[in-house]
Amino acid sequence: MTAMPTTGARHVTQMFCRQMFRPALAAGATLALLAGCVSFGDKAPPQLLTLTSDAAPTAGSMAQASVTEAIIVDVPTVERTLDQVRVPVQVSDSAIAYVQDAIWADKPARLFRGVLAETLAAKSGRLVLDQVETGSERGMMLSGQLQRFGYDEAARSVIVQYDAVIRQPGTPLRKQRFQASVPVAVVDAVNVGAALNQAANTVAVQVAAWVAG
């Protein structure tokens, strides 16, 4: 872990890196660099990461229902390491780094909520809303906690872990943990972002099947 020197009274830059080499998958290459890095400073990232649902409703599709028949999807709660726009790297049980230049367009909990909502709408055909749109909890409420949403160095994979809770008037409370992992060969913003999008969609499909059951 390395700290870069300051370059001005109002500019502070710190960089933390862990690097390792493994055989590259690309033809003709001999080594690929795997790095879990974070940097803070004035330089903007080359791109912002986002999540997109693989099962979004088609354009022009419409659902109609009363509030009591709708599915209300809440934004998951998160711990502090996920309550930000950087992508964490689990270095050890007690150490976190961040993927260099990997910045979300929004906080991952809100992005993941969007994937959940679109997947549920596409898979169930039901009306899916957020609590702001309904102003109540009279329908089926899907909430929960996003436990993990980043790269795990020991597993060499991204991991998405979501504890889902269903509340519905007149029925018992239900809770279940869902998890998906996707291997990552080169740890950079593009590869980690794509893998997290894939894992998030896998978890969303699992949750949609659970809700339907």
Side-chain angles (χ1 to χ4, degrees), residues 82-199:
L82 294 179
D83 191 25
Q84 48 152 312
V85 294
R86 294 174 297 173
V87 179
V89 175
Q90 190 74 44
V91 177
S92 69
D93 291 341
S94 58
I96 297 288
Y98 295 94
V99 180
Q100 187 174 14
D101 294 331
I103 306 295
W104 293 112
D106 198 351
K107 289 185 177 180
R110 288 197 285 264
L111 294 174
F112 182 68
R113 186 263 165 208
V115 171
L116 274 178
E118 292 208 331
T119 303
L120 280 167
K123 296 291 186 181
S124 69
R126 294 173 61 179
L127 181 64
V128 177
L129 304 170
D130 62 32
Q131 196 168 349
V132 174
E133 292 172 314
T134 64
S136 71
E137 295 186 4
R138 291 180 293 162
M140 176 187 287
M141 169 71 74
L142 174 64
S143 61
Q145 184 170 15
L146 194 57
Q147 299 279 7
R148 301 186 67 179
F149 202 85
Y151 179 77
D152 187 283
E153 189 173 86
R156 295 179 180 175
S157 302
V158 300
I159 297 176
V160 173
Q161 187 180 90
Y162 174 61
D163 289 348
V165 177
I166 288 181
R167 298 177 177 87
Q168 191 167 17
T171 63
L173 193 72
R174 289 198 289 157
K175 181 177 181 179
Q176 186 165 324
R177 172 167 291 182
F178 300 90
Q179 180 171 304
S181 62
V182 176
V184 177
V186 179
V187 183
D188 58 20
V190 173
N191 288 286
V192 170
L196 281 169
N197 190 72
Q198 181 181 340

Side-chain angles (χ1 to χ4, degrees), residues 36-52:
C37 304
V38 59
S39 60
F40 303 88
D42 296 337
K43 184 179 178 181
Q47 60 185 335
L48 295 177
L49 304 176
T50 190
L51 300 177
T52 55

